[in-house]
């Protein structure tokens, strides 16, 4: 069964304290893995797409990496404005479905 | 990045009335759009997949007669909540898939309150 699991559920960091969020997946034929950021009361904001193991993408303090079974979203020296829920999703080669994780709620304390 | 708009952003309606929510892909054509519902502090719940020119595919437990979806063009999908009741109050979010990249871009969401 295709499945996406994110950990931890919640993470509190001090400003400047780097950390990583995990997205583990078990799907048959990965087509793409996507990271989103969602602020309360808003739709998810697209961050990154990763298509194959070994691929990395960076944007400001965020860096996403991909292996054959998981992806990490690394946050370097986070700021309070990085506080949000981060969602991971995958789509497979077998259909037009997307599978979402339940998200990691990140709080960065000044 | 691709832009998806949603209208209205907030709507309050009386119980028993119908409400239509529009989702538009502004700078790309989308053969596939999705409709989600989200409860406070919970993740996205997929309601249905909207395919241009064909009937929507609904997830198990979602009433197709209550949540009518029309994907009439490659840039517009609509969700109509018919005979709304207070339990339909929620945050509804649409998304559109960019062909070839399979990237899914979300609208800003619609907060529906049924009184």
């Amino acid at each position: 069964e295709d499945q996406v699991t994110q950990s931890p559920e919640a993470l509190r960091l001090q400003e400047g304290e780097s950390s990583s969020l995990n997205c583990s997946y078990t799907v048959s034929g990965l087509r793409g893995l996507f990271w989103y950021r969602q602020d309360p009361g808003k739709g998810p904001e697209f961050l990154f797409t990763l298509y194959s193991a070994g691929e990395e993408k960076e944007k400001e303090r965020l860096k996403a990496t991909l292996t054959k079974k998981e992806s990490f979203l690394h946050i370097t020296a986070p700021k309070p404005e990085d506080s949000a829920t981060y969602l991971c999703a995958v789509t497979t080669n077998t259909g037009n479905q997307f599978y979402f994780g339940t998200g990691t709620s990140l709080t960065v304390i000044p | 990045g691709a832009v998806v708009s949603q209208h209205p952003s907030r709507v309050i309606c009386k119980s028993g009335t119908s409400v239509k929510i529009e989702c538009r892909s502004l700078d790309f054509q989308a053969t596939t759009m999705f409709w989600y519902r989200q409860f406070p502090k919970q993740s996205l719940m997929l309601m249905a997949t909207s395919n241009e020119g064909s009937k929507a595919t609904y997830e198990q437990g979602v009433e197709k007669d209550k949540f009518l979806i029309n994907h009439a063009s490659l840039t517009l999908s609509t969700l109509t909540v018919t005979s709304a009741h207070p339990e339909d109050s929620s945050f509804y979010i649409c998304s559109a898939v960019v062909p070839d990249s399979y990237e899914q871009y979300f609208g800003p969401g619609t907060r529906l309150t049924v009184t």
Side-chain angles (χ1 to χ4, degrees):
Chain A
E1 182 185 335
D2 297 329
Q3 193 170 337
V4 177
T5 305
Q6 287 188 250
S7 62
E9 280 188 26
L11 182 62
R12 288 172 66 89
L13 299 173
Q14 288 292 136
E15 184 171 1
E17 180 187 359
S18 301
S19 188
S20 297
L21 313 183
N22 178 265
C23 172
S24 298
Y25 62 93
T26 50
V27 297
S28 48
L30 178 73
R31 176 185 277 168
L33 184 142
F34 312 93
W35 281 99
Y36 296 88
R37 168 195 171 126
Q38 186 176 23
D39 293 294
K42 296 188 177 180
E45 174 192 345
F46 175 83
L47 292 175
F48 301 111
T49 306
L50 300 166
Y51 293 107
S52 55
E55 194 174 356
E56 298 182 353
K57 295 271 180 75
E58 272 188 83
K59 179 181 176 181
E60 296 178 355
R61 294 179 292 283
L62 300 176
K63 178 180 176 180
T65 61
L66 180 66
T67 72
K68 288 187 177 178
K69 58 179 184 178
E70 61 190 347
S71 175
F72 290 95
L73 184 66
H74 306 277
I75 303 178
T76 303
K79 298 183 177 182
E81 52 262 41
D82 295 322
S83 297
T85 296
Y86 291 85
L87 296 167
C88 164
V90 302
T91 188
T92 69
N93 294 324
T94 55
N96 201 16
Q97 290 179 301
F98 287 78
Y99 301 92
F100 277 85
T102 51
T104 293
S105 175
L106 173 67
T107 304
V108 182
I109 306 160
Chain B
V3 180
V4 176
S5 71
Q6 216 174 313
H7 179 80
S9 57
R10 289 180 178 273
V11 58
I12 300 173
C13 71
K14 292 189 176 180
S15 189
T17 61
S18 295
V19 174
K20 181 186 281 189
I21 303 170
E22 289 188 351
C23 178
R24 293 182 185 272
S25 56
L26 298 185
D27 50 2
F28 66 99
Q29 293 185 327
T31 53
T32 301
M33 292 183 171
F34 297 100
W35 286 95
Y36 296 86
R37 187 172 179 176
Q38 189 172 38
F39 294 101
K41 304 205 177 199
Q42 293 190 23
S43 191
L44 302 167
M45 184 185 82
L46 180 65
M47 297 175 66
T49 303
S50 171
N51 296 299
E52 188 268 337
S54 64
K55 290 184 179 179
T57 305
Y58 290 82
E59 294 300 299
Q60 194 170 7
V62 177
E63 299 175 57
K64 21 181 112 169
D65 294 333
K66 180 165 191 59
F67 297 100
L68 300 179
I69 290 172
N70 184 12
H71 194 155
S73 77
L74 287 171
T75 58
L76 173 65
S77 176
T78 60
L79 168 68
T80 302
V81 183
T82 62
S83 187
H85 288 98
E87 56 265 31
D88 299 324
S89 298
S90 192
F91 191 53
Y92 293 87
I93 311 174
C94 73
S95 71
V97 179
V98 178
D100 300 330
S101 74
Y102 307 107
E103 291 171 347
Q104 189 178 169
Y105 288 84
F106 288 84
T110 297
R111 172 74 57 193
L112 170 63
T113 302
V114 184
T115 60

